[in-house]
Structures are given as C-alpha cells and as structure tokens.
Amino acid sequence: MDSDVSDTPVAEDDTQAMVEDNTRATTEGETETRATTGLIMCGGEGSRLRPAVGDTEKPLVAVGGEPMIDRVVAALRASSLTTIVGAVSPATPATAAHLADLDGVDLIETAGEGYVADLTEALAVCDSPTVTVAADLPLLTAGHIDRAVAAAGDDSLTVCVPASLCAELGLSAEPTRDHDGETVVPTGFNIVGDDAERTAVWRAPRLAANINRPADYRVVEAWLDSDTQTKL
C-alpha cells in the first residue's frame, strides 16, 4: 500500500519561484539495507523535445551549458551511492559513447523496447534496492538522493511533486496520479526495492523540472540564466 513518507520541506519560497527547496538527507525510517547503486535511464528517443533541440540525443542536450546527463551523474557522484550505471539503447549511441568516456560510470545496453521494458532489463543486473533516475532530470541534487535512500530502506519509493507546483512553474505535468486526494506527478526519480511500495510527495521545484517538452526546456534555461535565482 502506498504511504506518504515525507511532508513538504520546511524551507519553502513564498514567491513560488523555482528556488532551491533545501531538501536534505534524513535518517528517519532508515534501515540497515540502503541503495548503493544509481541507475540512469537514458535510452529514450526524446521526440517531444526535438522541436527545441533538433537531432541532439536528449541526455546530451545542454542545460545551463552542460549536458543533462552530466548533471545527473554529478548528483549521483556527490551522493552516498557507490555505483553509477547508465542504461542506453540503440536510440542513444552518442550518449553511450559519452558515458563510456566518464570515469566511474558503467554501461548497460538495453533493447530499446520502451521505458518499462528497458528498466526491467537494466534492473536485472543491478543490486537491490536501486535508485533509478531519468536522464532528463538535470536539477536533481545529492540531497534529494540521500534523503530518498534513507527514507526508503528496503522499500520501493516513488518520488512525486504536486501537480500544482508544476503549474506554478510553467512546467508540464504528465503523467499525473491521485495520492491521498491530491493530484501529483511522478518525477522520474525512484527507488526500486524488495519490500513495500511507498510514495513521497515533496514540494521540490528542482524535481519538478523534468524536461520533456520545449516549454520545460525554456523554463529551466530561463531560471538558470536568471540573476535572482538561487545558485546551484
């Protein structure tokens, strides 16, 4: 049964701007078994984003002057995780070559038969529990990762944000689901474990920035270019 394992972070910006949400690691609910592997899913075609970026493979699209995949790798490296794996597909050969040049990143080549099929294929060779993150979540931080790892323990954890937060920030909200009477959006950041399946709903602007469409890309780029935004 799903359960909400976290409330809104204490620090929240009243102007509703896309600011740092001050998500921190916590030991609440921590168990002896914790995820040590981070799996980046980077095998999708990214067709919805192409009007803004052309033929560039989605994980390699630059955000703030840096490929999205590099930002995700940096967050995983700065976290408590010890192993980083990139799951690529026939649709992302340039991404595979790029990751092969990065120290400390292992590669898994999936068949490219869709996100769920590729995820299942990749998880079969990863330790459990495993942190899974989409390559198009460039504002993910080590704090988000460690907080989720500590809270999940052996369990599976789906990290969501309120759909209302996406609307405030001008970001797409898809797909949506109901959680305790609230419409929420899965962020593409999860933990796949062996026990219960739980849901965390965080008012975390950085996790709302899942770049799926040109409008999402423009919002994030504008924020990173702003003189008033909280620096990364």
Side-chain angles (χ1 to χ4, degrees), residues 39 41 87 108 110-111 114-126 132 192:
L39 172 63
M41 298 302 297
I108 295 175
T110 65
Y115 186 89
V116 173
D118 288 354
L119 177 62
T120 300
E121 185 178 351
L123 286 171
V125 295
C126 291
T132 67
V192 180

Coordinates of all heavy atoms in Angstrom, one line a residue, residues 39 41 87 108 110-111 114-126 132 192:
L39 N 20.9 4.1 -11.1 CA 20.7 3.7 -12.5 C 20.1 4.9 -13.2 O 19.0 5.3 -12.9 CB 19.8 2.5 -12.5 CG 19.3 2.0 -13.9 CD1 20.5 1.6 -14.8 CD2 18.3 0.9 -13.7
M41 N 18.4 6.2 -16.5 CA 17.7 5.7 -17.7 C 17.9 6.7 -18.8 O 17.4 7.9 -18.7 CB 16.2 5.5 -17.4 CG 16.0 4.4 -16.4 SD 16.7 2.8 -16.8 CE 15.7 2.4 -18.3
A87 N 21.9 3.2 -18.5 CA 21.2 2.3 -19.3 C 20.9 3.0 -20.7 O 20.1 3.9 -20.7 CB 19.9 1.8 -18.7
I108 N 25.0 -0.3 -19.4 CA 24.1 -1.4 -19.7 C 23.4 -1.0 -21.0 O 22.8 0.0 -21.2 CB 23.1 -1.7 -18.6 CG1 23.7 -2.1 -17.3 CG2 22.1 -2.7 -19.1 CD1 22.7 -2.2 -16.2
T110 N 20.4 -1.7 -23.4 CA 19.1 -2.4 -23.4 C 18.6 -2.4 -24.8 O 19.2 -1.8 -25.7 CB 18.1 -1.6 -22.5 OG1 17.9 -0.3 -23.1 CG2 18.7 -1.4 -21.1
A111 N 17.5 -3.1 -25.0 CA 17.0 -3.4 -26.3 C 16.2 -2.2 -26.9 O 16.0 -2.1 -28.1 CB 16.0 -4.6 -26.3
G114 N 11.1 0.4 -25.0 CA 10.3 1.2 -24.1 C 10.8 1.3 -22.7 O 11.6 0.5 -22.3
Y115 N 10.4 2.4 -22.0 CA 11.0 2.7 -20.7 C 10.8 1.5 -19.8 O 11.8 1.1 -19.1 CB 10.3 3.9 -20.2 CG 11.0 4.4 -18.9 CD1 12.0 5.3 -18.9 CD2 10.5 4.0 -17.6 CE1 12.7 5.7 -17.8 CE2 11.2 4.4 -16.5 CZ 12.2 5.3 -16.6 OH 12.8 5.7 -15.4
V116 N 9.6 1.0 -19.6 CA 9.4 -0.1 -18.7 C 10.2 -1.3 -19.0 O 10.8 -1.9 -18.1 CB 7.9 -0.4 -18.6 CG1 7.7 -1.6 -17.6 CG2 7.1 0.8 -18.0
A117 N 10.2 -1.7 -20.3 CA 11.0 -2.9 -20.7 C 12.5 -2.7 -20.4 O 13.2 -3.6 -19.9 CB 10.7 -3.2 -22.1
D118 N 13.0 -1.5 -20.8 CA 14.4 -1.2 -20.6 C 14.8 -1.2 -19.1 O 15.8 -1.6 -18.7 CB 14.8 0.1 -21.3 CG 14.8 0.0 -22.8 OD1 14.6 -1.2 -23.3 OD2 14.9 1.0 -23.5
L119 N 13.9 -0.6 -18.3 CA 14.1 -0.5 -16.9 C 14.2 -1.9 -16.3 O 15.1 -2.2 -15.5 CB 13.0 0.3 -16.2 CG 13.1 0.4 -14.7 CD1 14.4 1.1 -14.3 CD2 11.9 1.1 -14.1
T120 N 13.3 -2.8 -16.7 CA 13.2 -4.2 -16.2 C 14.5 -4.9 -16.6 O 15.1 -5.6 -15.7 CB 12.0 -4.9 -16.7 OG1 10.8 -4.2 -16.3 CG2 12.0 -6.3 -16.2
E121 N 15.0 -4.7 -17.8 CA 16.2 -5.3 -18.3 C 17.4 -4.8 -17.5 O 18.3 -5.6 -17.1 CB 16.3 -5.0 -19.8 CG 17.5 -5.7 -20.4 CD 17.6 -5.4 -21.9 OE1 16.6 -4.8 -22.5 OE2 18.6 -5.8 -22.5
A122 N 17.5 -3.5 -17.2 CA 18.6 -3.0 -16.5 C 18.6 -3.4 -15.1 O 19.7 -3.7 -14.5 CB 18.6 -1.5 -16.7
L123 N 17.5 -3.4 -14.4 CA 17.4 -3.7 -13.0 C 17.8 -5.2 -12.7 O 18.3 -5.5 -11.6 CB 16.0 -3.5 -12.5 CG 15.6 -2.0 -12.3 CD1 14.1 -2.0 -11.9 CD2 16.4 -1.4 -11.1
A124 N 17.7 -6.0 -13.8 CA 18.0 -7.4 -13.6 C 19.5 -7.6 -13.3 O 19.9 -8.7 -12.7 CB 17.6 -8.2 -14.8
V125 N 20.3 -6.7 -13.6 CA 21.8 -6.8 -13.4 C 22.3 -5.8 -12.3 O 23.5 -5.6 -12.2 CB 22.6 -6.7 -14.7 CG1 22.2 -7.8 -15.6 CG2 22.3 -5.3 -15.4
C126 N 21.3 -5.1 -11.6 CA 21.7 -4.2 -10.6 C 21.4 -4.7 -9.2 O 20.4 -5.5 -9.1 CB 21.0 -2.8 -10.8 SG 21.5 -1.9 -12.2
T132 N 16.7 4.8 -9.3 CA 16.5 5.0 -10.7 C 16.2 6.4 -11.0 O 15.4 7.0 -10.3 CB 15.5 4.1 -11.3 OG1 14.2 4.5 -10.8 CG2 15.7 2.6 -10.9
V192 N 13.8 1.4 -6.4 CA 13.2 0.1 -6.6 C 13.8 -0.9 -5.6 O 15.0 -1.2 -5.6 CB 13.4 -0.4 -8.0 CG1 12.8 -1.8 -8.2 CG2 12.9 0.6 -9.1

